[in-house]
Amino acid sequence: MNDLEFRQRALAEPRDRSPEFLAAARESAERQRFLEELLSFEDGLADGLRIPAPERLRERLRDPEALEAERGAAAPMTGDAPPRRALWTRLLPVAASLLIAVVLGFTYWAERANAQFEEDIFAHVYREISYLEMDNDVDLPLINRYLAAIGGRLEESGETEALEIHVADDCWVINRDDSVHLVLAGERGPVTVLMVSNSPVRREFEIEDERFAGLVTPTPRGNLVVLGEKSEALTRYQRLFANNLSWEY
Amino acid sequence: MDGIGPRKRLYEALVDEYYGDIFRYAYWLSKSRPQAEDLVQETFLRAWRSLDSLQNEGAAKAWLFTILRRENARLYEKYRPDLDDIEDYPLPDTPAEEPEHHMERELLYKAMSKLEAEYREPLLLQIIGGFSGEEIAGMLGLNNNTVMTRLFRARNKLRQVLDAEPARVPEKPVTDRKS
């Protein structure tokens, strides 16, 4: 096996354990180094792809009859047609239905946007799950340097200075560089705070998955996300950041 | 006797054993958590309905992954989700860092999104599913050489993209000591 063939095979299947491949790897120190580097890359790749699967999904799946019932077809309409009535009396329920459909449509799309945002938040938090284990020492001037890039500022007050912040980073939740991501010490574990400069939300709403619970709060520009372990009392942090976060443009 | 028949017992065992990997595969295929959950539910429902057609329990994993792929194709054709509008990332002026053992998932997410589906699918089947080249070839209806070529190109591209990422998002965020 020449070097090119070896590299191609290694890249196609780094964990190839066939005697032929392993013998080819041992033929030179350079091949060994290449394979070791590739296996390290592969470990990182496998680790990165290994996102947690929600436990509640497993519970749902174990009851296929209930799942089927949820997806059951609607009963067909039957019965005689009503007697013919004046046109306006026939159009009135149509108009009312249209109005309800429009209102429900707005509500539906607003809820869909919120659901999509919830998904984006969790996708981001799980991508950066290693942040929850970091124990850096972060001060407000650093946070404000990050916030300045997205037009925000956190007031340097007694209550913000009392926070124990372990992570500050610029991140993207929806679009590149649209957020500042903090992790601070909460009562029950790390608390994640995302100050998002776009995607304004119309109302406050709660989010949760099998591990975390969170609050999404509208701000004059963008929104604020506070997320922690399910037992964490988040409203304290929500109020603190909402009261001290301002947007400059 | 617990009242659960052998069919239901087998089904529950499949859920317990494979739902995690099935979910991960669905997530990286669809890049959407709600869509992944939907796909997984559809997959296991179909598995439940056609459980009697599973002749060999050893083939259950490949069978489930195949159902999922078909459901994803069916949903994708139906809803035509928007393409990711991932920006092009310019090459950095300074040499890029070597990929670390514990890869930043954000970078990986971007890198996987840039990978063409024909490369991403076999790679996910190999890493998440643990399938061999031959098994992947059978599932995708390709020959083994084509699968190996796509796996090689997938990793090559991922390494290029991840090596080219600027060190702007370091493994540990930049911090300062409190004065």
Side-chain angles (χ1 to χ4, degrees):
Chain A
M1 192 185 303
N2 63 37
D3 280 347
L4 179 61
E5 284 169 331
F6 173 75
R7 288 174 74 90
Q8 285 175 341
R9 261 187 75 169
L11 279 162
E13 201 169 8
R15 302 198 198 277
D16 188 347
R17 281 278 162 278
S18 65
E20 177 205 16
F21 178 74
L22 293 176
R26 284 192 292 268
E27 282 180 17
S28 77
E30 194 184 322
R31 287 186 181 188
Q32 292 267 43
R33 265 194 307 275
F34 177 76
L35 186 59
E36 279 163 24
E37 177 209 304
L38 208 47
L39 286 170
S40 178
F41 176 84
E42 190 71 6
D43 286 340
L45 189 55
D47 193 51
L49 293 175
R50 201 177 302 120
I51 60 164
E55 182 62 26
R56 60 172 164 70
L57 177 62
R58 187 176 74 94
E59 294 305 317
R60 283 172 60 80
L61 295 173
R62 288 179 114 246
D63 193 351
E65 291 94 345
L67 271 182
E68 279 193 308
E70 277 179 31
R71 282 158 160 77
M77 294 286 286
T78 59
D80 298 331
R84 204 162 173 77
R85 296 175 293 161
L87 181 63
W88 73 270
T89 60
R90 282 183 281 131
L91 287 179
L92 199 54
V94 173
S97 298
L98 275 175
L99 180 63
I100 291 170
V102 167
V103 169
L104 286 178
F106 279 124
T107 306
Y108 170 75
W109 287 112
E111 292 306 315
R112 247 185 94 90
N114 289 351
Q116 178 63 53
F117 189 53
E118 177 177 1
E119 177 203 333
D120 292 329
I121 292 167
F122 281 116
H124 180 77
V125 167
Y126 281 108
R127 286 198 296 272
E128 309 290 13
I129 200 75
S130 61
Y131 284 11
L132 299 185
E133 292 163 29
M134 293 181 180
D135 62 354
N136 304 311
D137 198 9
V138 178
D139 60 14
L140 283 177
L142 174 68
I143 295 170
N144 276 325
R145 284 202 289 280
Y146 281 119
L147 276 172
I150 59 171
R153 180 175 165 71
L154 199 62
E155 196 62 40
E156 295 182 25
S157 64
E159 56 179 357
T160 56
E161 286 176 358
L163 292 171
E164 190 183 325
I165 301 175
H166 295 308
V167 171
D169 198 9
D170 55 344
C171 285
W172 60 282
V173 177
I174 310 284
N175 295 312
R176 190 174 181 176
D177 297 340
D178 65 356
S179 325
V180 171
H181 184 154
L182 306 181
V183 176
L184 48 99
E187 301 287 328
R188 298 272 186 262
V191 172
T192 295
V193 176
L194 301 173
M195 293 170 281
V196 185
S197 66
N198 53 15
S199 303
V201 298
R202 292 176 185 276
R203 60 171 180 84
E204 181 179 304
F205 61 96
E206 295 176 0
I207 60 175
E208 70 170 338
D209 71 355
E210 64 278 5
R211 177 176 172 186
F212 299 116
L215 295 168
V216 182
T217 307
T219 61
R221 178 178 152 217
N223 61 79
L224 173 71
V225 181
V226 178
L227 192 94
E229 302 292 334
K230 284 197 166 170
S231 53
E232 188 77 50
L234 295 172
T235 47
R236 175 195 157 206
Y237 303 103
Q238 177 206 35
R239 261 188 246 117
L240 191 157
F241 279 89
N243 290 341
N244 287 280
L245 176 65
S246 59
W247 299 101
E248 290 171 359
Y249 61 83
Chain B
M1 293 279 286
D2 57 8
I4 299 175
R7 188 169 182 270
K8 184 76 184 294
R9 206 171 285 120
L10 170 62
Y11 171 80
E12 287 177 351
L14 291 180
V15 169
D16 292 343
E17 177 83 26
Y18 298 123
Y19 96 101
D21 285 341
I22 290 285
F23 172 79
R24 281 180 272 278
Y25 183 61
Y27 176 81
W28 288 103
L29 271 190
S30 65
K31 288 162 284 175
S32 158
R33 190 173 276 265
Q35 192 170 326
E37 291 195 21
D38 210 38
L39 273 173
V40 173
Q41 287 176 112
E42 284 298 330
T43 296
F44 277 97
L45 258 184
R46 286 183 182 272
W48 166 248
R49 289 172 196 148
S50 56
L51 198 56
D52 299 331
S53 70
L54 178 63
Q55 293 170 346
N56 171 13
E57 284 177 38
K61 189 176 189 179
W63 180 63
L64 288 168
F65 272 77
T66 300
I67 296 173
L68 174 59
R69 287 192 57 252
R70 287 184 189 147
E71 284 303 298
N72 184 54
R74 190 173 66 84
L75 279 174
Y76 179 85
E77 283 164 15
K78 185 177 175 183
Y79 292 115
R80 295 230 175 258
D82 293 331
L83 293 173
D84 287 331
D85 57 351
I86 302 289
E87 297 171 24
D88 287 333
Y89 295 97
L91 286 171
D93 292 331
T94 54
E97 290 178 17
E98 289 289 306
E100 301 292 345
H101 175 81
H102 188 79
M103 205 176 286
E104 285 286 358
R105 207 165 267 150
E106 179 175 328
L107 295 175
L108 177 59
Y109 185 85
K110 291 180 204 170
M112 290 295 286
S113 297
K114 287 185 174 184
L115 212 52
E116 291 90 333
E118 66 191 59
Y119 299 146
R120 187 168 58 235
E121 273 209 76
L123 185 68
L124 292 173
L125 286 171
Q126 187 186 54
I127 298 178
I128 294 177
F131 296 111
S132 68
E134 276 187 30
E135 288 171 319
I136 295 169
M139 292 164 74
L140 300 184
L142 301 168
N143 69 49
N144 195 50
N145 285 342
T146 304
V147 168
M148 287 295 140
T149 301
R150 291 187 185 185
L151 288 169
F152 153 72
R153 285 181 182 163
R155 276 195 183 79
N156 219 19
K157 278 200 120 178
L158 273 182
R159 290 174 84 232
Q160 284 170 10
V161 167
L162 290 165
D163 278 345
E165 275 293 327
R168 189 186 63 79
V169 181
E171 186 178 306
K172 280 189 92 157
V174 174
T175 63
D176 284 335
R177 294 253 158 236
K178 277 187 181 169
S179 49

